[in-house]
Amino acid sequence: MILKGFRDFLAYKLARCLAKRSSGEAKRGNGAGHTGAYLLAALCVYLAANFQAVAAAQGFAKEDLPFLHGVNLASGSFGARRVPRRYGYDYIYAGPASVDYYQSKGFNLFRVAFLWESIQPVLNGPLSESELKQLDNLVNYATGNGLFIALDVHNYAKYAGGKLGTEVPIEALGDLWGRLAEHYNSNPRVLFDIMNEPNNMPTQIVKEMTQGAVNAIRAAGAQNVIVVEGNQWSGAWHWLSSGSDILVELQDPENNIVFSPHQYLDKDGSGVQPYCASDNIGLERIQSVTQWARASRVRLLLGEFGAGANSPCSEAVTSMLDFMHKNADVWAGWAWWAGGPWWGSYFSSIEPQGGADRPQLQWLTPFLFTR
């Protein structure tokens, strides 16, 4: 709203300026002085330049959010292949203890995964009251403590195994988000992450399904930040080659979209191996998307990244985070994969084990209290 108000103010001033300039040119023929006209012309040029710059800006600038230092609390997506899934047995959402722990370390964002089929058991049907209650417990506790939540539909552009755009109509995603937006539109600390890691589908379909979701969210009256992921698992290193650059064409009347690449640092970028390809692989893999975002005047949120507790991963993670913080005009934040309950000895988890911090937390700590 800050950006929109300032943009509208500049538009108003520019219109008044141009009107006065035209009036001044008419009067000049009647002997009016030239000095005032020149000054007015200069003011018009200044306002026009700033109006274009502000109108082109997108993302977090509108809400003036802090730099986001996050962690994925992803246990809400566990047991995806089990039908029916049982809460507390097959999957669970993080509780106050996890939230308090990460807040004490300096984290201010939780990306919370959930499954579409659980929150909306019937396609285009009402949301599950019981599932929504479990999710609300986490959302309300975290945001009530001044933190941010990114709601993550962790479905890889599918519903019950059916792919959006072929087996499942893309309009169904808009129906889901319209209902979620109506439920959460009074909480500006909730970000809407449209769909986790679409893959193996035309990028045009990704664009169309995302645009439908954006339309539904705004139609529900929600002004919340919308998080948009790219095609081919939203990989930062092939954001351009996957065609995800066309997502810049998305239309949002609130101008409040942030784009969310993911980037793992193992050899094939899948994130299934604990070892990093080199000590500067993270920095290398986010270069092209950074350049694209700056040229396109959009903001980025690194929605997933992670690595095992070893060298060269410590160097790879540190250099990548350092680069993002130094380029905060483009990068609005990041979220480590992963934390929360039930991860056990998973190599990339930073959930404390036996009361002890995980080694990777030491890499993140220097960046947790910086903008």
Side-chain angles (χ1 to χ4, degrees):
M1 282 179 268
I2 294 171
L3 175 59
K4 186 174 186 293
F6 185 49
R7 186 183 62 202
D8 293 344
F9 169 77
L10 283 176
Y12 167 76
K13 286 294 187 182
L14 178 58
R16 289 293 303 273
C17 177
L18 292 174
K20 289 181 179 180
R21 184 181 179 190
S22 298
S23 175
E25 288 173 348
K27 290 179 180 179
R28 199 181 307 132
N30 294 326
H34 292 279
T35 302
Y38 290 148
L39 290 174
L40 190 57
L43 176 60
C44 288
V45 170
Y46 171 80
L47 287 172
N50 281 277
F51 174 69
Q52 293 299 325
V54 173
Q58 296 188 36
F60 286 137
K62 179 178 176 183
E63 299 297 339
D64 196 26
L65 296 182
F67 195 97
L68 297 173
H69 319 90
V71 59
N72 283 267
L73 301 181
S75 53
S77 63
F78 287 0
R81 296 182 180 180
R82 297 178 184 176
V83 180
R85 289 199 312 156
R86 298 173 301 164
Y87 186 80
Y89 293 89
D90 301 316
Y91 72 104
I92 194 169
Y93 294 113
S98 282
V99 173
D100 293 346
Y101 170 77
Y102 289 110
Q103 186 171 22
S104 73
K105 298 297 183 181
F107 290 87
N108 62 3
L109 168 70
F110 300 115
R111 183 171 180 257
V112 177
F114 60 94
L115 291 188
W116 187 351
E117 299 87 348
S118 292
I119 202 75
Q120 191 179 39
V122 177
L123 205 63
N124 297 314
L127 301 181
S128 165
E129 292 184 7
S130 59
E131 187 73 11
L132 205 55
K133 180 180 179 180
Q134 299 292 353
L135 187 58
D136 280 348
N137 288 338
L138 172 55
V139 171
N140 294 338
Y141 184 79
T143 60
N145 281 279
L147 306 173
F148 296 91
I149 290 282
L151 295 176
D152 159 32
V153 184
H154 210 79
N155 277 72
Y156 306 93
K158 296 178 180 179
Y159 180 90
K163 185 173 291 187
L164 277 160
T166 52
E167 296 95 339
V168 178
I170 60 174
E171 293 80 8
L173 185 60
D175 179 85
L176 169 69
W177 274 111
R179 296 174 189 272
L180 287 170
E182 186 175 0
H183 184 75
Y184 289 110
N185 64 11
S186 63
N187 190 340
R189 292 184 175 272
V190 177
L191 288 66
F192 299 153
D193 192 336
I194 299 299
M195 176 58 68
N196 181 69
E197 298 186 355
N199 61 87
N200 294 316
M201 60 197 308
T203 306
Q204 182 63 30
I205 296 296
V206 177
K207 178 185 172 185
E208 290 175 6
M209 73 184 195
T210 304
Q211 184 66 68
V214 171
N215 294 346
I217 288 168
R218 298 312 183 209
Q223 299 178 339
N224 304 57
V225 175
I226 294 175
V227 180
V228 171
E229 300 187 30
N231 201 5
Q232 292 309 98
W233 294 274
S234 204
W237 62 336
H238 47 62
W239 188 269
L240 300 181
S241 63
S242 69
S244 297
D245 55 323
I246 69 168
L247 297 175
V248 76
E249 300 171 3
L250 291 168
Q251 301 296 309
D252 175 18
E254 293 294 328
N255 203 22
N256 206 13
I257 288 176
V258 64
F259 296 88
S260 185
H262 297 174
Q263 190 57 64
Y264 290 97
L265 310 181
D266 49 351
K267 185 175 180 180
D268 63 1
S270 64
V272 300
Q273 305 167 65
Y275 301 103
C276 298
S278 72
D279 59 5
N280 63 349
I281 192 65
L283 187 59
E284 292 175 1
R285 288 180 175 174
I286 65 170
Q287 290 294 320
S288 61
V289 74
T290 302
Q291 294 166 4
W292 168 79
R294 179 169 287 118
S296 302
R297 295 182 179 273
V298 297
R299 303 297 302 281
L300 300 175
L301 171 68
L302 191 66
E304 291 183 19
F305 71 106
N310 57 71
S311 180
C313 286
S314 60
E315 293 85 355
V317 169
T318 299
S319 61
M320 183 174 68
L321 292 179
D322 183 63
F323 175 82
M324 285 193 287
H325 282 259
K326 288 178 178 177
N327 290 270
D329 62 311
V330 169
W331 288 99
W334 46 263
W336 179 269
W337 183 275
W342 292 11
W343 282 107
S345 59
Y346 174 58
F347 70 83
S348 188
S349 171
I350 56 170
E351 188 76 6
Q353 194 170 30
D357 292 344
R358 296 294 182 99
Q360 294 96 321
L361 187 64
Q362 298 178 19
W363 313 343
L364 306 180
T365 297
F367 303 98
L368 290 175
F369 292 97
T370 59
R371 180 166 175 81

